[in-house]
Amino acid sequence: MQFLLRLNFIFITALVFTACNNKSTKQEDLTKLSWEQILAEAKGTTIIMNMHQGDKKANAYMSDYVVPSLKAQYDITLKVIGGQGKEIINNIMAEKESNTTVGQTDLCWINGETFYQLRQIDGLYGPFVQQLPNAKYIDFTDPLIKYDFQEEVKGFETPWGKAFFLGVIDTARVKKMPVAMQDFEAYWQAHPGKFTIPQDFMGLTLLKSWLIELAGGIQELNGPFNEEKYKKYSTQLWDFVNRNKKNFWKNGETFPASAAPIAQMFSSGELDFTFAFGNSEIDKKVAEGLFPATSKAFILKAGCTNNTNYLGITYNSGNKAAAMVACNFMISPEAQVKKNNFKIWGGSMVLDYDKLDKKWQQEYDSLPKLKYGLSDAEIKARSIPETVPEYMIKIGDDFRKFVIDAK
Amino acid sequence: MHKKRTISLFLLVIYCVLPILVLFALSFSLNWVYPNILPQTFTLRHWKEFLFDGNGLQQSFFNSLTISLFVAFTSTLLGFICSKWIAYHKRRRLLLLVTYFPFALSPVIFAICLKFYFLKAGLAGNLPGIIIAQLIIAFPYATIFFTSFWNKSIKDYSNIASTLGSSPFNSYLKIIFPLAKSFLLTGFFQCFIISWFEYGLTNIIGYGKVQTLTIRVFQFIGEANIFYAALSSCLLILPPVILLWVNKKFVVHQTR
Amino acid sequence: MKIKTSNSISFLLLVVFAIIPLLLGLGYALLYSFGIVGVLNHGFTLQNWEAAFANNEVLYSFFYTVGLSLVSLFSCVSTGIFLALYFGKKLQKGIGSYIIYLPMAFPSVVAAFFFFQFLSNAGLLSRLCYKLGLIKSVTDFTNLVNDQYSIGIIAAQFFLTLPIFVLLYISIIANENIERLSLLATSLGARKSQVLWRITIPALLKKSFPTIVLYFIFKLGTYEIPLLLGRSSPETVSVLIVRKMQRFNLMDIPQGYVVAVIYALLVIVLLIFSFKSSHTVADA
């Protein structure tokens, strides 16, 4: 009896303790320091970076180039751990709830709806971008950089890479490139089981492209989130997917959790389509022997969705100075040009070519040329910006509700 | 009849051994294009990289080893002490039931619910935090396991010993430990394996910052890098295989 | 004196490591599900509980998980009994006795990975079929992973759990005089099949019942295998909970805690049932 009473008391105390917690966190203000002072504060420290680790080359770029360079040039130890949008948000939320003053991570690789949600919960430190010396190479008036999914960045994240959403096919297997949704439908009926949609950022961007196509173009979905429009076009979208999904991979009964296995299945011939977020993806994979040399990129009818990805500093990072120094390094011309080399990683530079010194312009020009992707001009001509994040979030939820869970 | 049995036994052996062979084969290959059964190229590259610490695999291996040894040792010790109290308690069954709960719950779900407390206590994302989290599932298991050791005969032995004037410490040393030796060893191995295999809980409480071997396997699978995943899998299986072999060969079970 | 201290230490250990985490975890999940704690929560509300049951996703998940565990367990128990009865001797000495332990050296992650490489459309089995001329291309191979019959999951779980049951039944046979009983029955005129189905198997099942229930509970919480080998829907309970915690729509996160509470209660109920139905203490 006494035993149970004691237990109850402990239980209740714990609950009460959990339920009322009202401490607030103080934010470090580095805006008053000079860059030299920030460098000094960063010296000899360690920072942790959250990064999507689905790409071998990206991981190698970080571990073989960025990490050693940071150590050698600034005496900063950078540790990279895996984690994408949802995990990052989850962790930051948990830290806010438990009033953690020194966070588990310092830097995170984010964009789009992750940025939006982090701002919703006040999870980012900033504004800090203008303090970075290398920011002078970036054109902040470029709408692609100034706005992240139509939300103004306001210096809370620094641009790191640009991406374009492209489809990829093997011209040896697929004779006519499907571009519009009807083309896809015809292809699926003729060749069932060769297409699927991953449940991650890549798949959602694809679905969003189709939503835009159904809406007749990006102008219709530009601007703030419109519930009516979304309902109207998404109903058509789910109709389209649901009536065709029996011709998808595995009869549309399951969808891969991420895009990583899709590239493998494309190369083994199990799938006829894959997608890529960069112009250099195909060259990269062909060079690795993963994709056949007959692969080709194409742009969907809605257009080539352009987005930029960024680096953010967590609100409770214990080492904001070092995080800023790391960001600065990663947007330096040296790091950006290297990153642009598809043999090392690939993906477009965020720096403005015209603002670079001659030396770096020459380096950039001498990078290996892409053979399989589309030309810059083609991409520019068909570029469309991202919609507001709410569309992505709703598509993510509804994809599960109306397609995956629909019986 | 005899032939049927031998064939069936042969199939059983294949069933048990095939996975290990496949994993080993994959860890030595560079690509495995469909529809070839054997990989095209055999290479020692991945193992060389491991030995010279590419990819931080060595670090992960030692992380896992440290954590598991700690957890196994602590949970065996504490479990042994606690099990004695439970075994001779009059509310033995109730206490045992209570001890079962944390062990029966899925570690992942448990970790999600406890993350808040670990964060508050500063135990998230570091080695001590993971050790404590794993103790929460290994200690109950050890307690349950050792409860079956403390039967009436052990109690009788200790009673006789104390009647004959032996100090509790002495009777522990000279009587109980020798009798419990095989139990303790088996319990230690089992707790080690529980901790060694743990993924979900370690990933959530450790934030992916403390990289154990199981986390690396998952990471490689996510990267679609099957060769490294195979290599880390081989590393993962190795200690348990050795432990199970030692357990089987040298440890004699009393009654279960 | 020494006994008193070790008693209170034991009590303390039990409380600190077994009872408190359970209460804290359950309490936190409860509070979150009712909206009392959580960054974006605003106070007590039942809407999370309503939302979790709004579509059938949660219910399906529980039914699916229970069904999967039952099938998996049934296959292990029946094969375990079969192997213990007919190969008992071979598996107790010599190479057989060591080989049977091998699958126990596999963590769930590795088993899931292996079975994916073995059973997927571009996997080892598919390549064997191709070489034997049974299929003509990658897509002809039947779905064995991420499929609607969860064959991959069952295969992986079967692989991991079979040795445990084989060893369990071998030890029960050795220790519980099953052979004597069946000899007795035979001498009284029973046929072989009668002995098997009326005496041996019921006795084995009865003795192993607590262990069976325990493993059923373990299988309910299975995470890594369905994560890698299962399909998008329905998901097992653990996978569902983790996914709900990582929703795009942050407002849905409390629903994950709802499911966690339900799962925990289910486990508690099953444990109590398992204890009530066993006369001897269940060893793990």
Side-chain angles (χ1 to χ4, degrees):
Chain A
M1 200 59 227
Q2 218 190 15
F3 175 72
L4 288 172
L5 278 175
R6 266 188 270 166
L7 219 53
N8 259 307
F9 180 63
I10 299 176
F11 182 29
I12 295 174
T13 322
L15 276 185
V16 169
F17 171 67
T18 314
C20 33
N21 255 306
N22 270 315
K23 294 201 292 248
S24 60
T25 42
K26 238 179 23 163
Q27 275 204 12
E28 235 182 277
D29 191 8
L30 296 175
T31 48
K32 309 249 169 43
L33 300 178
S34 73
W35 187 247
E36 282 67 37
Q37 288 174 307
I38 292 182
L39 280 174
E41 196 170 316
K43 210 160 184 229
T45 55
T46 306
I47 50 170
I48 316 269
M49 173 169 159
N50 256 130
M51 179 173 138
H52 174 43
Q53 293 189 303
D55 184 348
K56 261 189 292 202
K57 281 223 154 57
N59 297 345
Y61 170 81
M62 293 301 289
S63 60
D64 299 340
Y65 168 65
V66 175
V67 170
S69 308
L70 276 176
K71 187 84 185 147
Q73 294 180 29
Y74 303 99
D75 197 15
I76 295 177
T77 314
L78 174 68
K79 280 175 78 167
V80 177
I81 60 173
Q84 274 199 77
K86 296 184 274 193
E87 285 134 359
I88 297 177
I89 305 266
N90 210 263
N91 290 337
I92 303 268
M93 275 180 79
E95 289 181 4
K96 280 219 156 224
E97 278 157 20
S98 56
N99 277 311
T100 310
T101 38
V102 176
Q104 291 295 325
T105 55
D106 307 279
L107 265 183
C108 43
W109 185 23
I110 54 177
N111 77 343
E113 77 286 357
T114 315
F115 174 64
Y116 170 75
Q117 289 169 330
L118 279 174
R119 293 288 280 141
Q120 247 187 327
I121 59 176
D122 226 350
L124 287 177
Y125 165 73
F128 70 92
V129 179
Q130 291 307 333
Q131 276 187 281
L132 305 179
N134 285 328
K136 64 177 185 253
Y137 297 117
I138 299 179
D139 176 13
F140 286 101
T141 60
D142 179 358
L144 268 177
I145 291 185
K146 184 168 175 196
Y147 297 97
D148 182 359
F149 278 51
Q150 304 207 3
E151 175 166 352
E152 208 178 324
V153 168
K154 293 198 179 140
F156 273 85
E157 48 178 7
T158 171
W160 194 28
K162 281 190 181 171
F164 316 91
F165 185 66
L166 299 166
V168 182
I169 51 162
D170 179 4
T171 47
R173 283 180 260 152
V174 179
K175 298 302 169 207
K176 183 165 169 285
M177 242 191 272
V179 161
M181 286 161 84
Q182 310 98 278
D183 302 334
F184 275 105
E185 196 158 3
Y187 188 85
W188 295 331
Q189 281 169 1
H191 308 268
K194 299 294 221 162
F195 176 88
T196 188
I197 307 174
Q199 290 183 56
D200 63 356
F201 196 71
M202 182 97 82
L204 295 183
T205 312
L206 170 66
L207 289 168
K208 206 163 43 160
S209 304
W210 283 340
L211 190 76
I212 296 175
E213 187 178 333
L214 285 167
I218 186 67
Q219 329 78 274
E220 179 72 359
L221 294 178
N222 238 347
F225 180 67
N226 185 321
E227 178 82 42
E228 272 173 38
K229 287 190 189 175
Y230 173 74
K231 251 195 147 52
K232 175 169 169 208
Y233 298 117
S234 65
T235 323
Q236 298 175 23
L237 175 65
W238 305 129
D239 255 341
F240 173 74
V241 175
N242 279 328
R243 73 166 178 269
N244 281 302
K245 74 177 180 191
K246 61 180 184 292
N247 290 327
F248 286 178
W249 176 70
K250 304 234 183 203
N251 302 111
E253 277 164 18
T254 185
F255 296 89
S258 78
I262 292 189
Q264 282 225 313
M265 293 197 275
F266 176 74
S267 55
S268 75
E270 214 177 319
L271 292 176
D272 283 342
F273 294 90
T274 182
F275 298 92
F277 259 116
N279 215 359
S280 47
E281 274 302 295
I282 312 181
D283 281 77
K284 213 164 55 170
K285 295 254 167 27
V286 170
E288 278 173 33
L290 207 56
F291 282 6
T294 40
S295 311
K296 213 161 166 14
F298 67 95
I299 300 180
L300 295 164
K301 179 157 184 221
C304 181
T305 309
N306 259 322
N307 61 45
T308 310
N309 46 72
Y310 301 78
L311 292 167
I313 301 182
T314 54
Y315 78 103
N316 59 356
S317 157
N319 221 327
K320 299 186 177 77
M324 286 172 69
V325 174
C327 282
N328 189 54
F329 173 75
M330 293 201 265
I331 59 170
S332 66
E334 178 193 337
Q336 284 281 312
V337 169
K338 217 184 176 90
K339 185 168 180 267
N340 207 13
N341 182 350
F342 78 83
K343 295 218 162 93
I344 297 185
W345 182 350
S348 304
M349 204 169 57
V350 289
L351 306 180
D352 193 348
Y353 181 82
D354 299 320
K355 293 194 175 182
L356 288 176
D357 302 332
K358 212 151 181 78
K359 164 179 173 215
W360 293 115
Q361 287 184 337
Q362 284 173 337
E363 285 268 352
Y364 182 78
D365 291 333
S366 66
L367 287 173
K369 294 279 170 284
L370 296 172
K371 277 204 311 189
Y372 298 94
L374 298 169
S375 70
D376 276 345
E378 275 177 279
I379 293 183
K380 217 176 162 84
R382 299 286 311 282
S383 280
I384 52 171
E386 285 279 8
T387 56
V388 287
E390 282 97 330
Y391 285 108
M392 186 82 131
I393 294 175
K394 289 226 81 153
I395 289 182
D397 281 344
D398 289 350
F399 182 50
R400 175 137 289 259
K401 200 152 78 170
F402 294 122
V403 176
I404 299 180
D405 284 343
K407 292 284 172 265
Chain B
M1 203 56 219
H2 206 56
K3 218 177 178 184
K4 248 203 223 170
R5 285 217 180 176
T6 336
I7 296 181
S8 319
L9 212 59
F10 182 65
L11 284 174
L12 196 66
V13 171
I14 295 204
Y15 159 92
C16 292
V17 172
L18 181 70
I20 301 187
L21 291 176
V22 169
L23 289 173
F24 254 101
L26 277 179
S27 72
F28 284 108
S29 38
L30 260 188
N31 47 22
W32 194 39
V33 176
Y34 195 89
N36 303 320
I37 295 190
L38 288 178
Q40 272 93 315
T41 20
F42 271 96
T43 172
L44 288 172
R45 191 209 288 185
H46 307 306
W47 283 95
K48 271 206 215 142
E49 273 186 34
F50 162 65
L51 286 172
F52 296 113
D53 201 25
N55 266 305
L57 265 181
Q58 270 187 21
Q59 181 63 38
S60 308
F61 185 81
F62 284 117
N63 276 347
S64 287
L65 205 62
T66 316
I67 295 175
S68 299
L69 283 174
F70 232 92
V71 170
F73 183 73
T74 319
S75 53
T76 308
L77 187 65
L78 298 180
F80 193 63
I81 299 175
C82 201
S83 62
K84 176 171 184 212
W85 178 66
I86 290 187
Y88 296 145
H89 201 277
K90 54 179 171 147
R91 289 248 188 76
R92 171 189 170 137
R93 284 174 60 76
L94 175 66
L95 287 174
L96 217 55
L97 180 65
V98 166
T99 320
Y100 256 101
F101 289 154
F103 176 61
L105 279 178
S106 166
V108 163
I109 301 178
F110 212 179
I112 287 180
C113 297
L114 288 176
K115 188 159 94 160
F116 170 79
Y117 300 102
F118 274 80
L119 272 171
K120 267 212 116 58
L123 285 172
N126 51 37
L127 217 69
I130 294 192
I131 291 181
I132 294 185
Q134 290 189 353
L135 271 176
I136 295 181
I137 47 172
F139 165 72
Y141 172 77
T143 311
I144 296 167
F145 181 76
F146 288 127
T147 315
S148 55
F149 166 74
W150 301 100
N151 53 24
K152 190 154 185 316
S153 23
I154 305 288
K155 191 163 190 172
D156 290 342
Y157 290 147
S158 0
N159 284 343
I160 294 177
S162 54
T163 327
L164 289 173
S166 161
S167 67
F169 178 71
N170 238 342
S171 49
Y172 255 97
L173 198 62
K174 297 271 170 64
I175 302 180
I176 305 221
F177 270 130
L179 284 172
K181 211 167 47 176
S182 62
F183 255 94
L184 282 172
L185 224 50
T186 308
F188 178 83
F189 289 161
Q190 303 267 36
C191 290
F192 179 88
I193 288 183
I194 289 179
S195 158
W196 184 255
F197 283 175
E198 189 36 59
Y199 166 70
L201 175 121
T202 315
N203 196 29
I204 290 182
I205 302 280
Y207 265 81
K209 271 161 79 169
V210 180
Q211 306 229 310
T212 57
L213 218 45
T214 39
I215 292 183
R216 295 313 295 275
V217 174
F218 239 96
Q219 186 192 326
F220 291 131
I221 294 178
E223 251 181 51
N225 187 349
I226 55 175
F227 311 111
Y228 261 97
L231 195 156
S232 346
S233 301
C234 292
L235 290 173
L236 252 183
I237 316 178
L238 204 60
V241 164
I242 298 178
L243 280 180
L244 285 171
W245 182 77
V246 168
N247 193 28
K248 171 105 183 67
K249 191 158 172 117
F250 296 114
V251 174
V252 176
H253 269 301
Q254 282 140 351
T255 48
R256 283 216 89 212
Chain C
M1 203 35 37
K2 188 102 192 228
I3 306 171
K4 281 276 164 64
T5 357
S6 87
N7 275 358
S8 26
I9 292 181
S10 305
F11 172 71
L12 220 66
L13 281 175
L14 198 66
V15 168
V16 166
F17 279 108
I19 301 182
I20 287 194
L22 190 69
L23 294 176
L24 287 183
L26 203 57
Y28 182 74
L30 259 174
L31 288 179
Y32 211 114
S33 69
F34 283 118
I36 302 178
V37 297
V39 158
L40 290 171
N41 281 345
H42 299 298
F44 183 82
T45 170
L46 284 175
Q47 71 179 53
N48 298 316
W49 283 81
E50 287 165 359
F53 287 104
N55 57 11
N56 289 327
E57 178 187 43
V58 173
L59 225 56
Y60 265 127
S61 175
F62 272 100
F63 278 124
Y64 171 66
T65 314
V66 167
L68 193 64
S69 312
L70 284 174
V71 170
S72 180
L73 217 54
F74 176 75
S75 54
C76 285
V77 167
S78 45
T79 316
I81 292 182
F82 172 72
L83 286 176
L85 283 176
Y86 291 109
F87 294 98
K89 299 282 183 326
K90 283 233 157 66
L91 290 173
Q92 277 183 309
K93 317 191 207 316
I95 193 94
S97 67
Y98 284 94
I99 294 280
I100 196 70
Y101 274 94
L102 273 179
M104 290 171 73
F106 278 71
S108 316
V109 183
V110 175
F113 172 65
F114 166 73
F115 273 94
F116 189 84
Q117 297 303 320
F118 186 64
L119 296 175
S120 70
N121 286 43
L124 191 59
L125 197 60
S126 164
R127 294 167 196 235
L128 278 167
C129 291
Y130 185 89
K131 289 284 180 183
L132 290 173
L134 295 169
I135 58 170
K136 298 238 172 35
S137 84
V138 148
T139 38
D140 288 341
F141 191 67
T142 47
N143 274 340
L144 291 176
V145 294
N146 306 125
D147 63 315
Q148 67 178 121
Y149 297 114
S150 310
I151 295 181
I153 301 182
I154 297 176
Q157 288 187 335
F158 177 77
F159 173 78
L160 288 177
T161 327
L162 182 66
I164 299 173
F165 280 97
V166 170
L167 293 168
L168 176 71
Y169 286 122
I170 288 182
S171 100
I172 293 181
I173 292 176
N175 291 333
E176 303 289 338
N177 298 321
I178 304 278
E179 292 202 21
R180 290 230 190 107
L181 278 175
S182 43
L183 271 173
L184 183 63
T186 323
S187 68
L188 287 173
R191 289 192 314 266
K192 248 187 164 173
S193 60
Q194 277 178 324
V195 173
L196 181 66
W197 289 100
R198 298 250 176 139
I199 300 187
T200 320
I201 292 186
L204 287 174
L205 285 176
K206 187 150 173 274
K207 279 278 159 217
S208 59
F209 190 67
T211 312
I212 294 182
V213 177
L214 193 65
Y215 272 88
F216 177 73
I217 298 178
F218 289 155
K219 292 223 182 300
L220 283 182
T222 178
Y223 177 62
E224 291 99 345
I225 294 185
L227 188 66
L228 291 175
L229 295 174
R231 54 185 177 137
S232 320
S233 165
E235 302 158 300
T236 56
V237 174
S238 318
V239 177
L240 177 73
I241 292 177
V242 175
R243 180 176 61 79
K244 275 196 181 283
M245 299 292 183
Q246 297 179 335
R247 297 282 283 211
F248 274 111
N249 186 353
L250 300 180
M251 300 302 177
D252 286 347
I253 291 183
Q255 288 178 31
Y257 287 100
V258 169
V259 187
V261 170
I262 302 176
Y263 163 78
L265 292 175
L266 181 65
V267 169
I268 292 177
V269 163
L270 281 173
L271 264 182
I272 296 180
F273 166 71
S274 150
F275 260 67
K276 284 226 165 357
S277 68
S278 72
H279 287 295
T280 54
V281 172
D283 344 11

